């Protein structure tokens, strides 16, 4: 775990570092905004400068980078150097994953941690530990931007689409307002924006949205998700369906559920739906022939 | 009963956190209203305390700021920009020392980083902007412009690639007159791929839309004259949704909490968006009818500028100086800079001059076809101006009015022209003004 202040023994007192002359930081005579580093960090940095200057790719240098990132998680130079050493030393990279798992629990929002982990997993070419690793962090903070971004990389890189949808559904069940989970749902269904949705899947997703809209009408997520799907994949019939359902949900026709009737998101989506249908109707008059041609070309193109 | 966000009888982690913040803010705003006979017009920017807070960070930071060491140039940009926005004269001695200290953070291989660390795009961006604020020939001359970023845009050697990197690289290259077709190639296509189904922009393709990246993406495209690669109505819809109903401030993502720093990241996207809407309007492209109304009536930005200022002045000022994320948080240099920047962005109406519209009409591009291979002209880059007649200042003007902020370079307007004069030449710039 994290090093404690009182366990600190200066590197200058350790025999394994006796051959190294530390290089102090030179900020100049009257620096602006200097940082009063802890003694531990300042000394570690003095030794890092020395080993980096000597291009030393050793296990003691590896340990030193570990000490530095514990003291300063965003130290991208130490992380980059650490990766160079790991590659050179041919050490067991699974133990590096262990270190990163431990590190992530304390510093889950450090860019460098996630980037470094990605590099290690690339080298190992083994994503088997990643889903659990990420899930554990998302259990603590279900909206961790870095964790989701990294998860997308793992899923895409190692073709791990199976199981992702149930996982996302579970997170949405836990908190229907978790927009990161909704975003991941879109990612999974479109295979990272590379695939169209077939008719059945789209209808299933619309139903899913409607269910979640009814559950909490003042939650924006299902409305935004539904709008996104319709704009990209919706047919005329899909838009008609959502209009009918929203009218019912918002009590527009029959002044039903009060909460739903107050939902700005329901009204917003309904407005967009009406607009879409009006525009479509206007277009239909002049552009029917052209649209048919576009569809024909598109169909041929896919075949 | 205040208009708390309804939880529809279904309490979740998100709704609980949201409620706590709303109650906090409501209480604070009620307190101000009770205290000031003029209501929110009595909210005052506590300049003196903020200046003291900033000057203290310039003198030095404690070991609890050690985490900022790798991004050391930010420790110049945040405070200097804060001072410049408040129109505080930067002393000659501070200018000289800033140039000297930053010179030590410039790397032999080009770019800036933490002390003896690899060059980093974000750190380089912060260093260049700091020197732009200093604004002396010595400051400009200290930048080794021949060794600035190449087109690869990783944050540092072996580092991550994202929209923030694109923004930093393009801004650096623009200010230093280093834009080339090689540098701008594929940038707009990459950013367009980062626009999500919600309409906002994520750090990378498919990643959840986020105000910080939306700003970076939009500002980059504005430089490259490629705003039409985006679905602008969708982005506008999403951006407008970031302003919180009760709080008045912005959040960064759907269903996340308000945070003062998004006053800038989310707020500064509006002048850019407005310009994008105007452009497509002037090109007679199909435009969402609801935006026509706002252009015709000249209703101004599509966010409530006064409500944002209520949040900033009423909730983001720490008692002993410095600005913060939200009431229960401590102030820091980062939030001080971006809350002030958001305040400045909301006070002045900014416009893009006609020059740019003419140039884009000539090589009119269809959606998704824009190529950023043609760098913008100098006239394009200098096309932003401040519309002085349309200020929106809550509270006493003498205390609260800040310098107008450039929506792309994120420094005051009065610091931008000098940079261009230095790196593009006086005559060239004069011809465009
Ligand atoms: Zn913040």
């Amino acid at each position: 775990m994290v090093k404690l202040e009182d366990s600190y023994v200066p590197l200058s007192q350790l025999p394994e570092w006796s051959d190294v002359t530390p290089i102090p930081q030179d900020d100049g005579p009257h620096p602006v905004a200097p940082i009063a580093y802890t003694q531990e960090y300042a000394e570690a940095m003095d030794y890092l400068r020395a080993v980096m200057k000597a291009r030393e790719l050793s296990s003691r240098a590896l340990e030193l980078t570990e000490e530095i990132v514990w003291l300063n998680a965003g130290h991208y130079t130490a992380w980059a150097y650490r990766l160079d050493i790991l590659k050179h030393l041919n050490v067991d990279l699974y133990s590096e994953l262990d270190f990163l798992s431990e590190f992530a629990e304390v510093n889950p929002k450090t860019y460098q941690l996630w980037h470094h982990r990605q590099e290690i997993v690339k080298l190992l070419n083994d994503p088997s530990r990643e889903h659990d690793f990420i899930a554990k962090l998302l259990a603590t903070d279900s909206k961790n931007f870095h964790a989701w971004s990294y998860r997308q990389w793992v899923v895409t890189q190692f073709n791990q689409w199976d199981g992702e949808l149930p996982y996302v559904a579970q997170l949405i069940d836990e908190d229907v307002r978790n927009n990161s989970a909704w975003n991941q749902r879109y990612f999974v269904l479109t295979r990272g924006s590379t695939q169209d949705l077939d008719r059945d899947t789209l209808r299933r997703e619309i139903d899913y949205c409607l269910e979640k809209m009814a559950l909490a009408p003042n939650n924006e997520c299902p409305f935004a998700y539904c709008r996104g799907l319709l704009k990209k994949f919706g047919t005329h019939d899909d838009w008609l369906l959502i209009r009918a359902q929203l009218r019912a949900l918002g009590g527009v026709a029959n002044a039903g559920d009060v909460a739903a009737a107050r939902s700005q998101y329901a009204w917003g989506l309904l407005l967009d739906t009406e607009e879409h249908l009006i525009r479509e109707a206007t277009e239909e008059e002049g552009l029917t022939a052209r649209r048919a041609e576009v569809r024909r070309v598109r169909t041929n193109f896919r075949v | 009963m205040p208009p708390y966000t309804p939880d529809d009888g279904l309490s979740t982690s998100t709704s609980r956190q949201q409620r706590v913040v709303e109650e906090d803010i409501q209480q604070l705003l009620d307190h101000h209203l009770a205290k000031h006979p003029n209501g929110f017009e009595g909210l005052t920017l506590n300049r003196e305390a903020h200046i003291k807070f900033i000057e203290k960070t310039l003198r030095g930071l404690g070991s609890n700021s050690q985490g900022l060491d790798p991004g050391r140039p930010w420790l110049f940009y945040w405070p200097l920009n804060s001072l410049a926005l408040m129109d505080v004269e930067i002393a000659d001695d501070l200018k000289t020392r800033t140039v000297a200290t930053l010179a030590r953070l410039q790397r032999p291989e080009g770019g800036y980083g933490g002390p003896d660390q690899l060059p980093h795009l974000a750190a380089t961006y912060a260093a260049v902007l700091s020197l732009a604020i200093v604004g002396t020939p010595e400051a400009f001359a200290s930048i080794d412009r021949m060794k600035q970023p190449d087109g690869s845009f990783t944050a540092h050697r072996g580092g991550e690639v994202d929209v923030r990197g694109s923004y930093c690289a393009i801004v650096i290259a623009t200010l230093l007159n280093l834009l080339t077709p090689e540098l701008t190639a594929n940038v707009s296509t990459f950013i367009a791929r980062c626009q999500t189904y919600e309409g906002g922009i994520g750090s990378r393709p498919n990643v959840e839309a986020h105000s910080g990246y939306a700003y970076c993406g939009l500002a980059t495209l504005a430089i490259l004259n490629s705003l039409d690669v985006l679905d602008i109505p969708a982005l506008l819809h999403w951006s407008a949704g970031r302003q919180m109903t009760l709080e008045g401030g912005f959040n960064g993502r759907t269903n996340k909490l308000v945070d003062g720093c998004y006053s800038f990241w989310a707020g500064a996207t509006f002048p850019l968006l407005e310009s994008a809407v105007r452009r497509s309007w002037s090109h007679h492209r199909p435009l969402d009818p609801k935006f026509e109304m706002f252009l015709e009536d000249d209703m101004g930005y599509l966010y409530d500028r006064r409500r944002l200022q209520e949040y900033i002045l009423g909730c983001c000022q720490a008692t002993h100086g410095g600005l913060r994320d939200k009431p229960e948080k401590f102030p820091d240099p980062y939030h001080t800079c971006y809350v002030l920047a958001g305040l400045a962005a909301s006070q002045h109406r900014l416009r893009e001059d006609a020059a740019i519209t003419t140039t884009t009409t000539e090589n009119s591009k269809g959606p998704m076809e824009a190529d950023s291979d043609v760098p913008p002209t100098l006239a394009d880059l200098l096309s932003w101006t401040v519309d002085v007649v349309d200020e929106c200042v809550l509270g006493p003007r003498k205390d609260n009015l800040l310098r107008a902020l450039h929506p792309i370079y994120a420094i005051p307007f009065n610091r931008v022209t000098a940079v261009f004069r230095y790196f593009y030449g006086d005559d060239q710039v004069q011809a465009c003004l």
Side-chain angles (χ1 to χ4, degrees), chain A residues 196-220:
Chain A
D196 270 358
L197 294 193
D198 60 59
R199 308 299 321 141
D200 290 348
T201 312
L202 181 61
R203 280 297 168 103
R204 194 193 69 205
E205 286 306 297
I206 292 176
D207 286 344
Y208 183 80
C209 289
L210 289 167
E211 182 201 321
K212 302 302 177 198
M213 288 172 189
L215 196 63
N218 286 287
N219 168 29
E220 185 171 7

Side-chain angles (χ1 to χ4, degrees), chain B residues 32-77:
Chain B
H32 282 295
L33 281 180
K35 210 170 72 179
H36 297 292
N38 298 341
F40 291 132
E41 284 297 332
L43 288 172
T44 305
L45 184 70
N46 197 355
R47 272 173 195 261
E48 254 171 63
H50 301 322
I51 293 169
K52 270 197 186 128
F53 177 85
I54 293 158
E55 285 174 342
K56 199 175 155 212
T57 70
L58 286 168
R59 280 198 298 275
L61 296 105
S63 63
N64 57 345
S65 298
Q66 197 161 275
L68 297 171
D69 192 40
R72 189 90 183 274
W74 288 106
L75 295 175
F76 299 80
Y77 169 69

Side-chain angles (χ1 to χ4, degrees), chain B residues 44-60 75 78-91 94 316-323 331-333 336-337 340 398-403:
Chain B
T44 305
L45 184 70
N46 197 355
R47 272 173 195 261
E48 254 171 63
H50 301 322
I51 293 169
K52 270 197 186 128
F53 177 85
I54 293 158
E55 285 174 342
K56 199 175 155 212
T57 70
L58 286 168
R59 280 198 298 275
L75 295 175
W78 296 328
L80 291 177
N81 201 36
S82 303
L83 292 178
L85 285 167
M86 289 193 282
D87 212 12
V88 175
E89 184 82 41
I90 296 169
L94 179 57
C316 295
Q317 301 194 77
T319 325
H320 301 294
L323 293 110
D332 59 58
T336 301
C337 169
L340 288 173
K398 70 170 175 42
D399 297 301
N400 296 6
L401 182 65
L402 298 178
R403 279 276 173 187

Side-chain angles (χ1 to χ4, degrees), chain A residues 33 37 76 111 115 175 180 218, chain B residues 8 14 58 69 118 158 208 213:
Chain A
Y37 306 118
Y76 59 90
Y111 269 97
H115 183 72
D175 184 351
S180 307
N218 286 287
Chain B
D8 300 323
T14 300
L58 286 168
D69 192 40
L118 294 170
E208 187 183 2
Y213 297 101

Side-chain angles (χ1 to χ4, degrees), chain A residues 30 33-34 36-38 41 49 72 76-77 111 115 143 152 175 177 179-180 183 193 217-219 275, chain B residues 7-8 10 12 14 58 61 63 66 69 97 104 116-118 158 198 204 206 208 213 231 253 255 288:
Chain A
H30 301 288
Y37 306 118
T38 59
Y41 178 72
R49 268 182 280 273
N72 196 341
Y76 59 90
T77 307
Y111 269 97
H115 183 72
K143 297 176 183 176
Q152 292 191 350
D175 184 351
R177 299 180 179 90
N179 195 58
S180 307
N183 185 78
S193 313
N218 286 287
N219 168 29
E275 259 182 38
Chain B
D7 77 353
D8 300 323
L10 177 74
T12 63
T14 300
L58 286 168
L61 296 105
S63 63
Q66 197 161 275
D69 192 40
R97 285 165 49 229
R104 287 171 188 269
D116 306 301
Q117 295 172 37
L118 294 170
E198 288 191 90
R204 292 203 292 245
N206 303 306
E208 187 183 2
Y213 297 101
D231 178 346
R253 295 185 260 160
N255 282 343
D288 216 315

